């Protein structure tokens, strides 16, 4: 008879495969919270054959999904749940007991395959189905249960979660950007800031926006720099399409909270809204403001290019509102409790 996996485990494979492929069909935070909870409950059964199978399966699954917890879900409680379960399993493993031949531990652990392996390894029926599907012999299957193999997975997953915890919730040091963005007299080189934030391929949008926010909050912004620093913050938020973690969002939110939203004006249009909503167009608009001789081309029409229009408090308010909407969207999109996003 062809071995079959329990129906709920087939559903789990589907749910986790969507998550590790970055196309979840369920709420990832809920699904991964349940996974971590079930893994923690299995710790009580490690002394039984069932519990040993579960230790293998859950360690593999926590390893397969830890990158998503680290990079996509900004939840302190979920990170803590993963760390607790991984530490619990790790405490029961003795890597020195490994007697496997060199090179016999599983290595082809792409995320979707590892999800199938992990779920399959949870039960006898699942193991049989997994072995048949992938033509795995008994020796290869036994390597998944090796203490040395599992300890290595647990160690790597735990290190990834702990490193990400600091990056997502701790203090981010962007002081090294002072050397790039501050002139000798202490003024801000807005053109240099814009050159940096434009290089999105360097994954520097968040750090540049955070540097701008902290400079803004420090009060060390001259009147003529204020607009450039504000637009750099705004661009950093608008161009972080996947959302930045709380370690960035806290200061960005605080900076936007300094803008007075209760203002009006009689202007029919403002300069920023005439620039196309692209990185290049916004970049050209700001560079023309701060270095018009070097950057004569601007997407802003001449009749809207006056500094008074640029500095209109209503434009600041409009942009601050849109930025705050984006910031709130990050919290909804990336999960976590409200206090996870607060200072």
């Amino acid at each position: 008879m062809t071995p079959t996996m329990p129906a709920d485990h087939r559903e789990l494979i589907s749910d986790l495969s969507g998550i590790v492929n970055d196309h979840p069909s369920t709420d990832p935070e809920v699904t991964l919270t349940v996974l971590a909870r079930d893994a923690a409950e299995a710790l009580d059964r490690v002394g039984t054959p069932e519990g040993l199978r579960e230790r293998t399966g859950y360690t593999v699954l926590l390893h397969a999904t830890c990158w998503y917890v680290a990079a996509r879900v900004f939840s302190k409680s979920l990170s803590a749940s993963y760390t607790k379960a991984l530490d619990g399993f790790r405490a029961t493993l003795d890597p020195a007991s490994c007697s496997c031949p060199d090179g016999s531990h599983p290595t082809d652990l792409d995320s979707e395959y590892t999800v199938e392996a992990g779920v399959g390894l949870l039960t006898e029926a699942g193991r049989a189905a997994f072995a048949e599907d992938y033509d795995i012999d008994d020796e290869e299957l036994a390597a998944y249960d090796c203490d040395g193999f599992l300890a290595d997975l647990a160690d790597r997953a735990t290190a990834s979660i702990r490193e990400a915890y600091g990056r997502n919730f701790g203090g981010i040091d962007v002081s090294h950007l002072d050397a790039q963005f501050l002139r000798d007299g202490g003024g801000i080189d807005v053109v240099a800031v814009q050159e940096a934030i434009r290089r999105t391929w360097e994954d520097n949008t968040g750090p540049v926006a955070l540097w701008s926010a902290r400079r803004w909050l420090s009060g060390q912004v001259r009147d003529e720099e204020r607009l450039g620093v504000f637009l750099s913050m705004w661009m950093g938020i608008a161009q972080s399409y996947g959302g930045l973690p709380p370690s960035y969002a806290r200061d960005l939110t605080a900076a936007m909270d300094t803008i007075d939203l209760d203002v009006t004006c009689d202007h029919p249009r403002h300069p920023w809204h005439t620039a196309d909503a692209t990185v290049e167009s916004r970049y050209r608009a700001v560079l023309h403001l701060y270095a018009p001789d070097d950057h004569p081309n601007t997407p802003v029409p001449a009749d809207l290019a006056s500094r008074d229009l640029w500095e209109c408090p209503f434009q600041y308010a409009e942009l601050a509102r849109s930025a705050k909407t984006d910031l709130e969207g990050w919290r909804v999109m990336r999960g976590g409790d409200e206090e996870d996003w607060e200072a």
Side-chain angles (χ1 to χ4, degrees):
M1 181 182 295
T2 302
T4 58
M5 194 176 295
D8 59 332
H9 282 194
R10 291 197 300 272
E11 183 178 353
L12 180 60
I13 288 175
S14 176
D15 292 344
L16 294 179
S17 293
I19 289 171
V20 299
N21 284 318
D22 219 1
H23 292 288
S25 58
T26 61
D27 183 330
E29 186 175 2
V30 172
T31 300
L32 297 176
T33 296
V34 171
L35 176 67
R37 182 203 65 199
D38 291 347
E41 290 177 355
L43 284 168
D44 295 332
R45 299 186 290 272
V46 166
T48 68
E50 174 194 12
L52 290 174
R53 288 192 293 269
E54 290 177 330
R55 179 180 68 178
T56 297
Y58 282 123
T59 301
V60 170
L61 289 173
L62 294 172
H63 175 267
T65 55
C66 71
W67 76 267
Y68 199 95
V69 174
R72 296 288 189 268
V73 183
F74 303 140
S75 166
K76 289 182 179 180
S77 62
L78 180 57
S79 296
S81 295
Y82 260 62
T83 301
K84 179 181 178 181
L86 287 162
D87 284 346
F89 287 135
R90 182 62 177 83
T92 71
L93 296 165
D94 177 16
S97 68
C98 172
S99 59
C100 301
D102 289 345
S104 63
H105 288 167
T107 56
D108 186 20
L109 296 178
D110 70 89
S111 294
E112 189 168 5
Y113 172 82
T114 310
V115 163
E116 292 190 49
V119 176
L121 291 163
L122 291 171
T123 63
E124 282 287 6
R127 285 170 175 245
F130 173 64
E132 181 170 291
D133 287 345
Y134 288 94
D135 194 24
I136 296 174
D137 62 30
D138 291 344
E139 186 175 332
E140 291 175 298
L141 197 62
Y144 280 97
D145 295 314
C146 170
D147 276 26
F149 170 68
L150 293 174
D152 179 57
L153 291 189
D155 287 344
R156 284 191 281 147
T158 302
S160 175
I161 294 290
R162 287 186 170 138
E163 179 188 8
Y165 191 93
R167 185 173 65 247
N168 292 337
F169 305 107
I172 305 297
D173 183 7
V174 291
S175 60
H176 62 283
L177 295 176
D178 289 355
Q180 296 181 42
F181 300 154
L182 295 182
R183 295 191 172 102
D184 289 341
I188 299 169
D189 187 344
V190 174
V191 171
V193 176
Q194 282 292 308
E195 291 283 4
I197 208 166
R198 179 190 183 214
R199 297 192 299 272
T200 55
W201 55 90
E202 294 181 4
D203 198 27
N204 61 1
T205 303
V208 175
L210 182 59
W211 185 91
S212 301
R214 287 182 178 165
R215 194 74 183 179
W216 180 276
L217 291 167
S218 74
Q220 296 176 291
V221 179
R222 298 171 183 177
D223 288 347
E224 66 272 17
E225 300 163 347
R226 190 170 182 268
L227 178 62
V229 173
F230 177 78
L231 291 175
S232 296
M233 280 193 295
W234 187 91
M235 290 165 72
I237 295 169
Q239 291 163 196
S240 296
Y241 307 109
L244 295 170
S247 51
Y248 291 81
R250 287 193 298 262
D251 285 342
L252 289 165
T253 299
M256 288 298 162
D257 283 343
T258 66
I259 303 300
D260 184 3
L261 303 182
D262 189 20
V263 293
T264 60
C265 75
D266 297 325
H267 303 139
R269 287 197 302 167
H270 293 97
W272 194 242
H273 299 301
T274 65
D276 294 334
T278 64
V279 173
E280 184 66 21
S281 181
R282 293 163 176 165
Y283 160 79
R284 286 170 45 224
V286 180
L287 258 61
H288 179 75
L289 268 173
Y290 283 88
D293 293 339
D294 295 331
H295 302 276
N297 297 319
T298 175
V300 178
D303 62 329
L304 290 172
S306 74
R307 196 73 181 209
D308 286 346
L309 279 174
W310 272 110
E311 296 281 5
C312 175
F314 190 80
Q315 178 169 260
Y316 275 90
E318 281 186 302
L319 295 177
R321 283 192 193 93
S322 71
K324 292 172 80 166
T325 296
D326 286 343
L327 288 161
E328 177 59 23
W330 295 353
R331 195 195 70 76
V332 173
M333 173 173 56
R334 294 303 178 199
D337 296 325
E338 191 160 339
E339 54 265 30
D340 294 346
W341 292 81
E342 297 172 350

